[in-house]
């Protein structure tokens, strides 16, 4: 894992980067790669890299890397998991190193841009071919690794993090359209647009080809394709476990890794397969975070895992007094508004793990998304069932989840209606909007289009799953995972989001997701029954953190500080003061904690983001 940045001339103009600019850019991403930093400069391009050495720690594997014949130059952030396959299946060889970077370089020289679709991993790549005068900018199929772009009149700038673009002396202003959509619908990370005007997030599974002033966009990964899966349930479970096991073996193929765990089913599946392959022992660092609040602390469940697996979990506790400091400390790394308290907890986890572990972490992100673990997929599932199956599946679901027919009918109706709308759920499962309190004269209201495909009747459940994986839930989670881990020079790997595994899970018979009325059945049955926790068959619980409770009680002072100082807030122009302040006060003054804390978090997070990233540039 590394930090990368580049400047590509779009005309015949000669690049003359100043030394202080080069050093500023490298310094801005050095936390992503503290082991080495260097750059390559030609008449028309500048490549910069900070390296976190893992696969091949030798300096021969440092970047930028140039081919033996001197014609191809490469910077790369991420990890390629199928290097052995690239060698055995495609005849790709390395000559100077054992690094995955050289596999990409050699693969390109043999197959050209076709190599990008052969890669299984998490990656962002900038590659320059002097023979064709073409530059390629590539992002992995699921967008696990970031790629940000900024185009001026004369150059295209590329970076792993937005702060590196600022280090190129690019003045970054807030993007009003993105802020508007965030405040109205909760949407962010679902389009090409960021919270910074002119800064684009490259779409996952695509590459750009730059040849002079011509920039063309190409999709190398078809996310809508299906693969063959077994027609019976038992074989489906066996095959899913095999593919997942292979993914875990590949991603744990390092001398020193740690594991982030919780008390949930995903962590149990991850630990079970690691244990089966003898990849963990009591010396393997296992971390978990918990909140210092009754009802939101999974430590009892996590500590029980030590009786099932050879691990000694380490606990990182987040208290209400940590929240403001964590918010201030994490904003420079997260760079844009983010999901909320769970992200702050993960930031503290990596903060405490820094210096005490190796460079690689494994984590079970994505299990619910690929298998259908959330309650809001219930409506889409029943909407596309054949009429002959509807009543039978309806009764099974009621029985398995202890719901009356009226309750399930209401759930199906509400979740089906939600699927058609743009307003998204928050981390705590509620819907929220600051729309009634906005100063619409401030915003342009020319909303950038989302990448989310148009809703189509007939394939509702696939639409709901794809929406989570590619556009809404996972993109924002993956951004938070990348920034919180790389802030402390840790590479976070996500074996549940292996390319082959995601394609398989997407293609599974939908009835195998709800067998006997239980969510994500084929995933649950990967785990031996003696390792399951009671109640794991029910749908995923929304609330896993005390954000609503603490913003109402323990952290209400953070909201009150902003209310009292409203006229001096950098975000005050976004709102109608006479409408917003009473709504905020009513929420934190009510006798019970609000079920919905989203707009409180948005109000606070956006202000702290403006204070750090936007205002200093405009002074």
């Amino acid at each position: 894992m590394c930090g990368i940045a580049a400047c590509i001339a779009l005309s015949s103009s000669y690049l003359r980067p100043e030394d202080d600019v080069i050093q500023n850019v490298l310094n801005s991403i050095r936390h992503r790669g503290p082991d080495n930093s260097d750059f390559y400069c030609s008449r028309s391009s500048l490549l910069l890299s900070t390296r976190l050495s893992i696969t091949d720690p030798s300096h021969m594997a440092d970047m930028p890397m140039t081919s033996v014949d001197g014609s191809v130059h490469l910077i790369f952030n991420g990890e390629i998991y199928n290097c052995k396959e690239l060698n055995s299946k495609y005849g790709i060889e390395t000559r100077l190193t054992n690094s995955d970077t050289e596999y990409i370089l050699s693969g390109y020289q043999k197959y050209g841009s076709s190599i990008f679709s052969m890669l299984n991993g998490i990656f962002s790549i900038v590659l320059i071919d002097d023979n064709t005068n073409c530059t390629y900018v590539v992002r992995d199929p699921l967008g696990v690794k970031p790629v940000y772009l900024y185009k001026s009149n004369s150059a295209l700038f590329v970076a792993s993090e937005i702060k590196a673009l600022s280090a190129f002396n690019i003045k970054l202003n807030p993007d009003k359209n993105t802020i508007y959509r965030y405040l109205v619908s909760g949407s962010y990370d679902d389009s090409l647009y960021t919270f910074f005007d002119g800064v684009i997030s490259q779409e996952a599974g695509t590459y750009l080809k730059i040849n002079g002033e011509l920039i063309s966009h190409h999709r190398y990964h078809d996310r809508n394709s299906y693969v063959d899966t077994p027609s019976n349930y038992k074989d489906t479970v066996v095959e899913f476990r095999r593919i997942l096991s292979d993914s875990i073996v590949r991603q744990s193929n390092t001398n020193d890794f740690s594991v982030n765990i919780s008390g949930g089913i995903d962590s149990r599946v991850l630990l079970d397969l690691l244990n089966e392959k003898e990849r963990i022992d009591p010396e393997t660092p296992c971390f978990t975070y918990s909140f210092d609040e009754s009802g939101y602390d999974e430590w009892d469940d996590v500590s029980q895992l030590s009786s099932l697996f050879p691990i000694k979990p380490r606990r990182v506790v987040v208290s209400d007094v940590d929240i403001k400091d964590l918010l201030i400390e994490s904003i420079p790394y997260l760079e844009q508004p983010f999901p909320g308290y769970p992200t702050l907890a993960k930031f503290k986890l990596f903060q405490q793990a820094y210096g005490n572990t190796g460079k690689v972490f494994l984590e079970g992100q994505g299990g619910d998304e690929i298998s259908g673990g959330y309650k809001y997929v219930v409506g889409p599932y029943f909407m596309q069932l054949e009429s002959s199956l509807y009543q039978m599946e309806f009764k099974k679901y009621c029985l398995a989840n202890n719901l009356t027919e009226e309750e399930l009918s209401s759930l199906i109706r509400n979740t089906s209606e939600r699927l058609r709308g743009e307003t998204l759920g928050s981390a705590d499962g509620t819907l929220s909007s600051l729309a009634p309190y906005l100063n619409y004269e401030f915003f342009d209201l020319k909303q950038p289009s989302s990448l989310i495909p148009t809703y189509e009747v007939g394939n509702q459940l696939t639409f709901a799953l794809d929406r989570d994986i590619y556009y809404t839930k996972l993109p924002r989670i993956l951004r938070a995972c990348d920034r919180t881990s790389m802030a402390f020079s840790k590479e976070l790997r996500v074996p549940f989001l292996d390319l082959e595994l995601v394609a398989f899970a997407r293609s599974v018979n939908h009835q195998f997701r709800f067998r006997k009325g239980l969510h994500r059945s084929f995933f649950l049955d990967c785990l031996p029954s003696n390792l399951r926790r009671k109640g794991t068959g029910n749908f995923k619980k929304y609330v896993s953190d005390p954000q609503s409770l603490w913003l109402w009680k323990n952290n209400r002072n953070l909201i009150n500080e902003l209310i009292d100082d409203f006229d001096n807030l950098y975000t005050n122009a976004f709102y109608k003061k006479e409408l917003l302040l009473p709504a905020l006060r009513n929420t934190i003054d009510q006798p019970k904690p609000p079920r919905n804390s989203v707009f409180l978090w948005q109000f606070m997070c956006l202000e702290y983001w403006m204070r750090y990233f936007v205002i200093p540039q405009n002074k």
Side-chain angles (χ1 to χ4, degrees):
M1 208 70 70
C2 306
I4 63 173
C7 177
I8 311 299
L10 300 178
S11 64
S12 58
S13 60
Y14 176 47
L15 283 178
R16 296 181 179 85
E18 298 178 1
D19 290 343
D20 62 335
V21 171
I22 291 175
Q23 288 306 314
N24 287 341
V25 174
L26 291 173
N27 289 338
S28 71
I29 53 175
R30 199 173 301 278
H31 55 280
R32 299 186 69 92
D35 296 329
N36 178 263
S37 64
D38 208 342
F39 67 94
Y40 163 82
C41 187
S42 71
R43 290 180 59 87
S44 60
S45 60
L46 172 65
L47 302 180
L48 305 101
S49 170
T50 61
R51 184 179 177 219
L52 184 67
S53 58
I54 296 174
T55 304
D56 182 345
S58 72
H59 285 295
M60 290 293 292
D62 289 344
M63 296 179 285
M65 182 178 287
T66 297
S67 60
V68 174
D69 65 4
S71 66
V72 182
H73 316 276
L74 175 76
I75 52 176
F76 158 59
N77 167 35
E79 198 75 27
I80 305 302
Y81 301 129
N82 65 330
C83 289
K84 291 183 179 179
E85 181 188 8
L86 294 175
N87 176 260
S88 62
K89 185 175 181 180
Y90 300 107
I92 298 172
E93 298 178 339
T94 59
R95 297 175 61 182
L96 302 177
T97 73
N98 293 318
S99 70
D100 44 3
T101 307
E102 191 178 357
Y103 271 101
I104 301 170
L105 200 60
S106 299
Y108 173 80
Q109 290 194 290
K110 187 168 186 173
Y111 292 101
S113 59
S114 297
I115 184 62
F116 305 142
S117 62
M118 302 176 188
L119 304 177
N120 184 352
I122 52 178
F123 52 85
S124 55
I125 300 167
V126 181
L127 183 149
I128 298 173
D129 186 343
D130 291 340
N131 295 319
T132 61
N133 293 318
C134 290
T135 299
Y136 297 87
V137 182
V138 194
R139 192 177 187 193
D140 67 73
L142 290 175
V144 178
K145 292 292 100 184
V147 181
Y148 293 105
L149 309 167
Y150 182 90
K151 182 176 177 292
S152 70
N153 293 331
S154 60
L156 178 70
F157 298 87
V158 185
S160 296
E161 297 189 6
I162 295 173
K163 63 176 68 68
L165 298 177
S166 179
F168 276 115
N169 292 330
I170 297 170
K171 185 176 180 180
L172 300 178
N173 294 309
D175 187 284
K176 293 182 180 180
N177 291 322
T178 300
I179 292 172
Y180 172 80
R181 291 185 67 243
Y182 172 65
L183 294 175
V184 169
S185 66
S187 302
Y188 61 109
D189 289 319
D190 67 327
S191 74
L192 302 177
Y193 300 90
T194 70
F195 283 82
F196 296 91
D197 188 23
V199 176
I200 301 298
S201 176
Q202 182 168 330
E203 189 177 359
T206 68
Y207 70 85
L208 302 182
K209 182 178 180 180
I210 303 103
N211 188 349
E213 296 182 356
L214 179 63
I215 302 177
S216 55
H217 179 273
H218 306 264
R219 175 167 291 284
Y220 70 88
H221 172 69
D222 181 9
R223 59 179 52 159
N224 295 315
S225 62
Y226 292 88
V227 298
D228 292 335
T229 61
S231 58
N232 70 78
Y233 182 76
K234 182 178 179 180
D235 289 346
T236 296
V237 173
V238 170
E239 182 65 3
F240 181 80
R241 182 180 171 92
R242 182 195 67 78
I243 299 172
L244 178 55
S245 178
D246 289 347
S247 171
I248 290 173
V249 168
R250 284 193 297 269
Q251 297 193 33
S252 62
N253 187 23
T254 179
N255 293 330
D256 190 7
F257 68 89
S258 305
V259 187
N260 284 346
I261 59 175
S262 68
I265 189 71
D266 293 353
S267 293
R268 292 179 179 235
V269 171
L270 178 60
L271 290 171
D272 178 45
L273 289 171
L274 284 169
N275 189 42
E276 179 182 82
K277 299 300 180 179
E278 298 182 347
R279 295 298 179 102
I280 54 173
D281 58 46
E283 300 304 314
T284 303
C286 289
F287 290 88
T288 188
Y289 68 74
S290 60
F291 293 95
D292 188 17
E293 183 69 48
S294 176
Y296 301 92
D297 186 352
E298 288 190 294
W299 177 243
D300 288 343
D301 291 324
V302 171
S303 59
Q304 289 176 9
L305 296 179
S306 60
S307 65
L308 302 173
F309 306 104
I311 60 171
K312 296 179 180 179
R314 307 180 190 181
R315 184 187 190 191
V316 176
V317 180
V318 180
S319 68
D320 58 298
V321 297
D322 295 329
I323 296 301
K324 184 174 182 178
D325 288 341
L326 288 173
L327 178 58
I328 293 172
E329 293 170 9
S330 64
I331 281 282
Y333 297 99
L334 289 157
E335 298 188 317
Q336 301 180 81
F338 54 91
Y341 280 28
T343 303
L344 298 179
K346 183 157 293 186
F347 183 84
K348 184 174 181 179
L349 185 154
F350 283 111
Q351 188 179 53
Q352 293 201 2
Y354 182 69
N356 298 316
T357 64
K359 299 174 181 179
V360 174
F361 274 72
L362 299 186
E363 187 172 293
Q365 287 291 351
D368 284 298
E369 286 76 11
I370 67 173
S371 58
Y374 292 99
K375 181 167 63 175
Y376 53 72
V377 303
V378 173
Y381 171 65
F382 279 98
M383 286 172 64
Q384 66 181 49
L385 274 178
E386 296 179 9
S387 57
S388 59
L389 297 173
Y390 192 96
Q391 283 302 320
M392 179 176 63
E393 293 299 313
F394 188 94
K395 292 179 180 178
K396 289 180 181 177
Y397 194 90
C398 285
L399 182 63
N401 296 281
N402 196 28
L403 296 175
T404 66
E405 292 187 0
E406 292 76 13
E407 288 172 334
L408 179 54
S409 295
S410 177
L411 178 61
I412 293 172
R413 182 172 59 255
N414 293 337
T415 54
S416 299
E417 290 174 354
R418 174 185 174 184
L419 189 65
R420 294 183 174 89
E422 184 186 5
T423 302
L424 307 175
S426 69
D428 63 8
T430 58
L431 299 175
S432 176
S433 176
L434 279 163
Y437 318 114
L438 296 186
N439 175 17
Y440 287 92
E441 294 180 358
F442 176 81
F443 296 98
D444 297 332
L445 301 187
K446 296 178 182 178
Q447 297 185 48
S449 59
S450 170
L451 292 173
I452 302 176
T454 304
Y455 172 83
E456 294 182 3
V457 175
N459 205 19
Q460 293 93 334
L461 182 53
T462 298
F463 176 86
L465 296 172
D466 285 353
R467 177 169 163 150
D468 267 4
I469 294 170
Y470 296 115
Y471 307 107
T472 56
K473 188 175 291 294
L474 265 185
R476 62 178 67 172
I477 292 174
L478 291 175
R479 173 165 66 88
C481 287
D482 175 80
R483 299 310 186 281
T484 53
S485 60
M486 293 307 294
F488 303 99
S489 309
K490 304 297 182 183
E491 175 178 296
L492 183 63
R493 299 181 181 179
V494 282
F496 292 165
L497 296 180
D498 175 83
L499 194 57
E500 182 183 0
L501 189 73
V502 172
F504 183 91
R506 187 180 186 274
S507 306
V508 164
N509 184 326
H510 286 323
Q511 284 184 259
F512 295 168
R513 302 181 194 278
F514 289 90
R515 191 168 180 264
K516 298 181 180 179
L518 300 179
H519 280 246
R520 58 193 310 215
S521 304
F522 73 92
F523 189 104
L524 292 174
D525 284 337
C526 283
L527 193 65
S529 58
N530 65 304
L531 297 180
R532 294 190 195 177
R533 189 179 64 180
K534 184 179 180 181
T536 54
N538 296 328
F539 48 72
K540 175 79 171 183
K541 289 185 178 180
Y542 282 119
V543 179
S544 59
D545 62 82
Q547 179 172 298
S548 291
L549 176 64
W550 283 2
L551 285 175
W552 169 75
K553 184 179 65 173
N554 310 55
N555 298 140
R556 64 187 298 153
N557 61 304
L558 303 181
I559 302 298
N560 278 324
E561 287 174 4
L562 299 179
I563 291 175
D564 294 341
D565 197 36
F566 183 83
D567 291 339
N568 295 315
L569 299 187
Y570 296 120
T571 54
N572 62 17
F574 299 171
Y575 313 105
K576 294 181 179 178
K577 176 181 178 180
E578 69 278 9
L579 298 178
L580 177 64
L581 296 193
L584 293 172
R585 290 193 179 100
N586 288 340
T587 301
I588 61 177
D589 288 342
Q590 63 188 39
K592 295 182 179 180
R595 181 168 181 264
N596 193 319
S597 64
V598 184
F599 82 104
L600 295 175
W601 170 257
Q602 289 176 326
F603 172 66
M604 181 171 67
C605 186
L606 201 58
E607 172 63 21
Y608 278 89
W609 170 72
M610 287 281 289
R611 290 179 183 182
Y612 185 86
F613 273 103
V614 180
I615 301 306
Q617 296 188 86
N618 296 327
K619 287 185 178 179

